[in-house]
Amino acid sequence: MDKLSITGGRALHGRLRVSGAKNSTLPILAGTLLTDEPVLVRNAPHLHDVTTMIELLGTLGAQVVIDEKLNVEVCANNLTQLCAPYELVKTMRASFLVLGPLVAKHGKAQVSLPGGCAIGSRPVDQHLKGLEVLGAKVSVSDGYVYADAPDGLIGADVYMDLVTVGGTENLMMAACLARGTTRLQNAAREPEIVDLGNFLNTLGARVTGHGTSTIEIQGVEKMHGGEHRVMADRVEAGTYLIAAAATRGSIKLVDVEPDTLGAVLEKLQQAGAILTIGDDWIELDMQGKRPRAVDIETTPYPGFPTDMQAQFMALNAIAEGTSAIRENIFENRFMHVQEMNRLGADIELHGHSMAVVHGTDQLRAAPVMATDLRASSSLVIAALVAQGTTIIDRIYHIDRGYETIEEKLQQLGGSVQRVS
Ligand code: EPZ
């Protein structure tokens, strides 16, 4: 099993290109199932989760061609089955996003229920409730969700009880081919939802209001082929900015979308980072100074993202002062705390949702274990700061969401090797 070996103590400096967004690519690839015509998805990142989604499309019978620049062309005109099997859904929850497109286009679908997840229970009740409101008959048995709408879905008002990114995406895609108008209320406003809406519109859908809490979708009879470039990955961008700040370095990120990073950039400024921001680039400079501790509370977009909570905790662990971090989205997203404390951090947990971080001026290397994707990247940040060589085990989690992380960190001067 691959591990990362990181020798800490070097400030990150240099220039880095940000990859396409994982959390945008996954729903967009699911959305290619809405049309019989070929769809070209550009700027997809080379990641494990993207490969899993491509494998799922192939299992359904779609033809998928990937070129050397990782542009993915999907043609779903001849599906051979409408079932997403447990073997694939259990390895990646985002597989559940094929449910909406399949039932909308083919009148039926069978998708395995995602199993448990390291960061929380993550139910899919809002996805299912919404599909029922759109007229599908939904049942659950033997670990599978069966959705039937032989005469097609019918547009309706759907009120989501809580803000869910995946639920909004699944229902948005389903509603594209429903008869009449759907209004999704209390919808998620994440930039990835905006990207998905724009993508669906290039295929002939009629989606408006994406990026606000009410999304309106006027159903169309048929969607056509098209081409879309996936947005930049805001979580990858934020992770490298935080890593540079933690190591007291200075970096320039290019091919980034600064508007999608508002809450994170504000917290970095509070931590002492000097930021210069262009249309598609961000420069961060710590001027060699130790960061200041900053309180964080995760909320749906445009609030501070749960996907960047762990990384900011690593920054706070070596910052000057004490900070409080509240996690409001997932009930088990503090698994990195014990591992960071092994590196000499001083973090107390108060229940499932609150951590108090007492900044220390030096972390020390230790063997640690990655437990989920973003927890893993927080350990990478802590290791980049720690004195000595840290070995991070189980880094397959990192490969799900960070494209060639060791090469990108080497490019910035980090001492990072992949070892087996
Ligand atoms: C997406 O997950 C992201 N994944 C996650 O990124 C991200 O952490 C999360 O949104 C929140 O921003 C992808 O985009 C592929 P949710 P998703 O539905 O859609 C509860 C990463 O590290 N809920 O917005 O699964 C749920 O349990 C990953 O890249 C219900 O109760 O998240 C959670 O507490 C991890 N019922 C909250 O809502 C439902 O039907 C938000 O979940 C759906 C969700």
Side-chain angles (χ1 to χ4, degrees):
M1 211 180 281
D2 282 0
K3 301 178 175 64
L4 280 184
S5 166
I6 302 180
T7 304
R10 297 185 187 187
L12 298 184
H13 291 287
R15 184 177 186 276
L16 197 67
R17 184 192 165 268
V18 174
S19 302
K22 166 180 87 82
N23 288 348
S24 198
T25 304
L26 298 175
I28 283 172
L29 286 174
T32 64
L33 294 169
L34 287 163
T35 172
D36 286 336
E37 296 179 16
V39 179
L40 184 65
V41 179
R42 292 168 47 229
N43 201 34
H46 185 36
L47 295 172
H48 238 261
D49 277 8
V50 172
T51 313
T52 306
M53 184 59 90
I54 289 171
E55 194 183 338
L56 174 57
L57 296 177
T59 303
L60 297 171
Q63 288 139 47
V64 186
V65 179
I66 306 167
D67 74 14
E68 71 286 351
K69 286 192 177 151
L70 281 167
N71 297 317
V72 184
E73 188 179 77
V74 183
C75 187
N77 66 346
N78 211 357
L79 296 192
T80 48
Q81 65 169 52
L82 301 174
C83 171
Y86 175 64
E87 289 65 39
L88 286 173
V89 182
K90 77 171 181 202
T91 61
M92 187 186 68
R93 302 178 63 79
S95 311
F96 200 70
L97 294 173
V98 301
L99 179 64
L102 284 180
V103 71
K105 174 91 180 1
H106 299 278
K108 67 191 284 180
Q110 179 186 345
V111 177
S112 169
L113 271 176
C117 176
I119 61 176
S121 58
R122 302 180 79 182
V124 288
D125 56 306
Q126 300 302 311
H127 304 231
L128 303 189
K129 184 191 96 171
L131 283 177
E132 280 178 330
V133 175
L134 296 180
K137 195 169 155 289
V138 177
S139 60
V140 178
S141 69
D142 308 325
Y144 277 84
V145 173
Y146 295 83
D148 279 284
D151 300 323
L153 296 172
I154 301 160
D157 279 8
V158 180
Y159 179 82
M160 281 170 279
D161 299 332
L162 46 80
V163 177
T164 152
V165 175
T168 303
E169 291 166 344
N170 230 338
L171 297 175
M172 207 165 127
M173 292 190 279
C176 284
L177 292 174
R179 281 196 307 284
T181 300
T182 298
R183 255 179 306 273
L184 299 179
Q185 299 190 36
N186 199 25
R189 293 181 281 163
E190 267 65 5
E192 292 76 14
I193 303 273
V194 176
D195 204 24
L196 176 64
N198 292 343
F199 163 72
L200 294 169
N201 286 342
T202 66
L203 304 190
R206 295 174 70 188
V207 181
T208 53
H210 40 312
T212 75
S213 56
T214 302
I215 302 176
E216 191 169 292
I217 303 124
Q218 285 176 44
V220 296
E221 213 164 288
K222 217 170 158 223
M223 288 166 68
H224 50 72
E227 183 178 327
H228 180 79
R229 181 181 162 86
V230 172
M231 65 177 279
D233 196 315
R234 65 191 168 107
V235 185
E236 189 200 31
T239 301
Y240 285 106
L241 290 173
I242 295 169
T247 61
R248 308 184 187 190
S250 61
I251 62 169
K252 178 171 185 172
L253 296 182
V254 296
D255 282 355
V256 65
E257 295 179 33
D259 289 352
T260 63
L261 277 151
V264 175
L265 297 180
E266 194 182 308
K267 292 292 175 187
L268 281 166
Q269 273 171 327
Q270 287 173 20
I274 312 288
L275 297 176
T276 317
I277 298 169
D279 282 351
D280 63 353
W281 55 267
I282 302 173
E283 266 176 6
L284 174 145
D285 190 352
M286 285 304 281
Q287 300 185 321
K289 294 193 188 123
R290 182 179 175 194
R292 291 190 292 271
V294 177
D295 293 342
I296 299 288
E297 174 157 8
T298 66
T299 53
Y301 192 85
F304 191 91
T306 175
D307 289 347
M308 237 115 52
Q309 174 260 110
Q311 300 90 316
F312 224 96
M313 191 183 284
L315 179 91
N316 277 339
I318 49 88
E320 201 172 327
T322 295
S323 56
I325 298 193
R326 184 173 282 284
E327 168 61 51
N328 292 312
I329 308 294
F330 291 110
E331 66 270 24
N332 193 25
R333 218 172 190 186
F334 278 147
M335 279 181 301
H336 42 282
V337 168
Q338 303 306 338
E339 299 301 298
M340 269 186 212
N341 283 346
R342 287 171 51 73
L343 293 168
D346 181 3
I347 306 168
E348 296 160 32
L349 280 179
H350 296 262
H352 289 298
S353 59
M354 175 70 129
V356 174
V357 186
H358 304 282
T360 56
D361 62 359
Q362 190 58 68
L363 299 178
R364 288 175 308 281
V368 289
M369 199 167 71
T371 48
D372 71 70
L373 170 56
R374 308 303 171 189
S376 315
S377 62
S378 75
L379 295 177
V380 170
I381 296 170
L384 286 166
V385 179
Q387 233 169 32
T389 300
T390 295
I391 304 288
I392 307 180
D393 202 353
R394 301 206 180 163
I395 57 148
Y396 54 83
H397 291 293
I398 299 189
D399 296 330
R400 294 183 62 165
Y402 292 91
E403 197 172 47
T404 58
I405 192 166
E406 68 277 25
E407 286 172 28
K408 288 194 172 188
L409 287 170
Q410 283 161 10
Q411 199 180 320
L412 297 173
S415 171
V416 182
Q417 319 300 331
R418 184 177 289 257
V419 293
S420 42

